[in-house]
Each structure stands twice: as structure tokens, then as C-alpha cells.
Amino acid sequence: MDSPTTLGAEQGLIEGKPVYDLAGRLVAVKQYDGTAQTDTDILTEFTYTYADKTNYLTEKTMDLPTREMTATYTYGDAAVGEMPDQVYNIDQSGDGSMIDEEKQM
């Protein structure tokens, strides 16, 4: 499971090292600068967050050296007649604009 992988077209076909949690869910894909592959050498990182005890993706983050973009997924609420396993809203924060230099340090 630790072999390099190529992400789909939405991520720009970036090769990286996948990271899985104990449930076997993809939680990160990291692209490194150089061969050491340490956390200080990360160029690009995609992270995935899931709802507790489910495979429901709740957040996807793309972290680049100069920008960060996050998509947050909202699922239906059965109490109001919505389907709980259906995505009802995707909130996109970060429009690709530059992040503060302080955050980079």
C-alpha cells in the first residue's frame, strides 16, 4: 500500500506516497522534494478526513507551498427527511489565492 500512486485528473496527476489509516481509508497523499521523504521535504499534500466510524468523506484539503484549498462535505440529516448518506453541500474555501507568508513558516 505504500507504493507511489498517481492521483486523478482533479488533483493534476501528481505522483505521491499514499498514507492509509487503520481502517484502510486513504488519509493523505504526499509528494516529496528529493528522495529522503521526510515531513520537511513535502512539496504537496492532499489530506482526507472522514466522519467517525464511516467512510463518509467530510473534508479534502490540498496544501501547496503557496496556497491551501479545502472542500468540506455536508451530508443529509435524516431528522429533516434528507438521505444521510447523500452529499447535500460542498463548501469550497480557498480559491487558489496566495496564503499568508506567516503560515508558511
Side-chain angles (χ1 to χ4, degrees):
M1 283 191 176
D2 283 343
S3 61
T5 187
T6 301
L7 296 178
E10 74 171 333
Q11 282 93 5
L13 297 175
I14 293 174
E15 286 194 23
K17 182 177 180 180
V19 179
Y20 298 92
D21 65 7
L22 294 175
R25 301 175 299 193
L26 181 66
V27 294
V29 176
K30 300 177 181 183
Q31 180 187 30
Y32 295 92
D33 180 21
T35 58
Q37 296 192 357
T38 63
D39 284 343
T40 58
D41 296 328
I42 293 176
L43 285 178
T44 306
E45 182 175 15
F46 296 92
T47 56
Y48 304 89
T49 306
Y50 300 88
D52 288 341
K53 301 178 185 176
T54 73
N55 286 329
Y56 296 158
L57 183 66
T58 58
E59 186 175 278
K60 177 174 66 173
T61 302
M62 179 180 71
D63 193 3
L64 302 170
T66 58
R67 64 190 75 187
E68 182 176 295
M69 293 173 29
T70 301
T72 304
Y73 300 86
T74 303
Y75 290 85
D77 183 357
V80 295
E82 297 174 338
M83 296 173 36
D85 59 348
Q86 180 72 36
V87 174
Y88 278 81
N89 186 46
I90 300 173
D91 181 32
Q92 181 75 35
S93 63
D95 57 0
S97 59
M98 303 300 274
I99 60 173
D100 296 331
E101 289 185 24
E102 294 175 6
K103 186 174 181 182
Q104 295 180 28
M105 295 181 179

